[in-house]
């Protein structure tokens, strides 16, 4: 098993699917009151340099349910935010903690933490990727569709961390991914190159287009994210000018399969990337998806921080 969760590009299909199986098992146990203190006495540090509702609460509650504890470390409060190096932070925190979850801007900061520390590092979102979200998404898709391989997922919106992670994950597990973005907001070319290489090995189709109808046609899963990610607030007015045709409304959603499910990592902005009738409509499974952050991340922590 990989020692860290930095991106899903680093994980094998087997590691992803094993983690999802464990997530299902832990969810079943939690729902049925079966105790499973698999991380008794362990401590997770949670470094945040960006806001969070789901990631923070699900990791903290997950650690508690596993018999361990979690520490919220805001960058406003720790010395990292005042210029202490990642090297020193990684060395010191490795002496106290059993794992670190970090949400920050630069992917390279997360990778440095993994490189310099001696404990598992879990990426809780960077500007580049959001792998924990994808594991919860895949758990949700399996619950509703019974499988991942052979499905088509359409992501409509910004070529951002969610689009990247969906490509990385889909390419590993054999789920076709179609991404429609405005011309000016396409995915990172390096991520696309990596994902296409993985997809070629698994026979997965990755489609990149600027046409939302082409992407969504016959999709089993439709995915939206905010048009304005954390840290991009100053670009909002500029972005709103071009994203209008990428709003997922009932008309656009009707090009997907009749039984398509709608996913959104949340937080959502109704009336922008998605209309109310879609996100609050009968095909939406957004709150199952949000709940699965808890179960999927518990599985990640057990895999990375549990006894081998
Ligand atoms: N989806 C997600 O990561 O939500 P938060 O920003 O609330 O953690
Ligand atoms: N793309 C969004 C995802 C939030 C979970 C952001 O980075 O803000």
């Amino acid at each position: 098993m990989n020692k860290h969760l930095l991106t899903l590009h680093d994980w094998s299909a087997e590691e992803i699917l094993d983690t999802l199986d464990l997530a299902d098992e832990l969810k079943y146990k939690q729902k049925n009151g079966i105790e499973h203190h698999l991380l008794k006495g362990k401590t997770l540090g949670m470094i945040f340099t960006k806001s969070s509702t789901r990631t923070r609460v699900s990791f903290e509650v997950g650690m508690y349910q596993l018999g361990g504890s979690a520490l919220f470390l805001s960058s406003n409060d720790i010395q990292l935010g005042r210029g202490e190096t990642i090297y020193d932070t990684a060395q010191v925190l490795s002496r106290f903690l059993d794992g670190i979850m970090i949400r920050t801007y630069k992917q390279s900061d997360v990778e440095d933490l993994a490189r310099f520390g001696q404990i598992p590092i879990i990426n809780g979102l960077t500007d580049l990727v959001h792998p924990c979200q994808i594991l919860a998404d895949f758990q949700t898709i399996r619950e509703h569709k019974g499988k991942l391989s052979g499905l088509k997922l359409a992501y409509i919106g910004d070529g951002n961390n969610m689009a990247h992670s969906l490509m990385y994950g889909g390419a590993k597990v054999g789920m076709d991914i179609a991404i429609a973005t405005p011309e000016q907001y396409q995915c990172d070319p390096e991520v696309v190159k990596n994902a296409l290489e993985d997809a070629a090995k698994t026979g997965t189709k990755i489609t990149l287009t600027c046409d939302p109808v082409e992407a969504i046609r016959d999709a089993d899963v439709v995915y939206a994210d905010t048009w304005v990610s954390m840290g991009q607030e100053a670009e909002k007015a500029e972005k709103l000018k071009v994203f209008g045709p990428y709003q997922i409304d009932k008309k656009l959603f009707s090009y997907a399969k009749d039984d398509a499910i709608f996913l959104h990592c949340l937080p959502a902005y109704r009336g922008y990337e998605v209309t109310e009738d879609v996100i609050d409509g009968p095909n939406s499974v957004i709150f199952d998806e949000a709940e699965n952050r808890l179960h999927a991340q518990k599985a990640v922590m057990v895999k990375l921080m549990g006894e081998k």
Side-chain angles (χ1 to χ4, degrees):
M1 185 79 199
N2 211 300
K3 191 170 165 242
H4 308 287
L5 176 53
L6 306 179
T7 79
L8 286 179
H9 178 56
D10 308 329
W11 276 28
S12 66
E14 196 187 359
E15 286 171 330
I16 294 172
L17 296 172
D18 279 356
T19 303
L20 296 179
D21 289 345
L22 180 59
D24 289 345
E25 183 189 326
L26 294 178
K27 182 172 184 176
Y28 176 85
K29 287 185 169 162
Q30 189 62 33
K31 300 267 178 202
N32 289 280
I34 304 166
E35 290 214 0
H36 49 268
H37 286 166
L38 296 169
L39 295 182
K40 192 166 187 295
K42 305 255 180 184
T43 307
L44 177 79
M46 308 189 298
I47 301 176
F48 282 93
T49 73
K50 288 177 173 175
S51 306
S52 170
T53 297
R54 280 144 289 269
T55 305
R56 177 179 174 181
V57 177
S58 55
F59 268 104
E60 190 159 341
V61 170
M63 235 3 228
Y64 174 76
Q65 291 178 356
L66 288 164
S69 56
L71 287 176
F72 175 65
L73 305 168
S74 158
S75 59
N76 295 329
D77 303 327
I78 60 172
Q79 301 288 7
L80 191 63
R82 294 182 57 252
E84 186 168 16
T85 63
I86 293 190
Y87 179 83
D88 288 358
T89 305
Q91 293 295 335
V92 172
L93 291 183
S94 292
R95 306 281 179 112
F96 298 138
L97 300 168
D98 301 289
I100 295 173
M101 189 287 302
I102 175 167
R103 164 169 288 195
T104 192
Y105 295 87
K106 283 160 63 187
Q107 178 71 15
S108 58
D109 286 350
V110 178
E111 303 203 347
D112 284 349
L113 204 55
R115 197 150 50 95
F116 299 138
Q118 286 86 42
I119 54 177
I121 304 299
I122 300 170
N123 184 344
L125 179 147
T126 61
D127 289 344
L128 194 74
V129 286
H130 192 6
C132 292
Q133 179 69 50
I134 303 306
L135 293 172
D137 298 341
F138 283 2
Q139 184 178 15
T140 311
I141 295 168
R142 289 206 318 185
E143 286 171 350
H144 288 273
K145 296 282 168 201
K147 61 178 184 176
L148 296 172
S149 176
L151 296 178
K152 174 181 177 182
L153 181 147
Y155 170 94
I156 315 288
D158 191 17
N160 64 10
N161 45 11
M162 289 313 313
H164 295 159
S165 319
L166 286 164
M167 257 194 288
Y168 272 163
K172 294 282 176 169
V173 301
M175 184 165 62
D176 293 343
I177 307 285
I179 295 185
T181 64
E183 181 95 43
Q184 309 88 308
Y185 295 102
Q186 295 185 47
C187 293
D188 180 277
E190 168 103 13
V191 173
V192 172
K193 180 174 158 287
N194 292 338
L196 286 174
E197 281 170 14
D198 286 343
K201 289 181 207 145
T202 53
T204 310
K205 196 168 159 199
I206 292 190
T207 309
L208 301 163
T209 175
C210 294
D211 178 358
V213 174
E214 181 194 343
I216 208 169
R217 202 181 288 282
D218 294 326
D220 301 281
V221 182
V222 176
Y223 205 109
D225 183 19
T226 180
W227 293 336
V228 184
S229 285
M230 289 179 276
Q232 300 180 339
E233 291 72 14
E235 296 166 47
K236 181 171 177 183
E238 199 57 35
K239 291 189 100 171
L240 290 186
K241 286 186 202 157
V242 295
F243 274 90
Y246 297 84
Q247 179 183 69
I248 303 177
D249 58 11
K250 259 196 148 160
K251 169 107 195 336
L252 184 56
F253 194 77
S254 72
Y255 288 99
K257 286 192 181 150
D258 289 344
D259 63 351
I261 54 172
F262 176 79
L263 267 64
H264 190 309
C265 55
L266 304 180
Y269 300 92
R270 288 167 175 78
Y272 290 92
E273 70 270 12
V274 61
T275 52
E276 266 179 39
D277 49 9
V278 172
I279 193 168
D280 301 318
N283 300 59
S284 175
V285 296
I286 55 168
F287 298 122
D288 292 345
E289 179 188 9
E291 178 189 331
N292 284 337
R293 295 294 303 279
L294 172 68
H295 309 297
Q297 287 156 198
K298 281 167 73 177
V300 170
M301 292 191 284
V302 170
K303 288 273 180 197
L304 300 183
M305 296 162 59
E307 302 309 327
K308 297 288 175 290

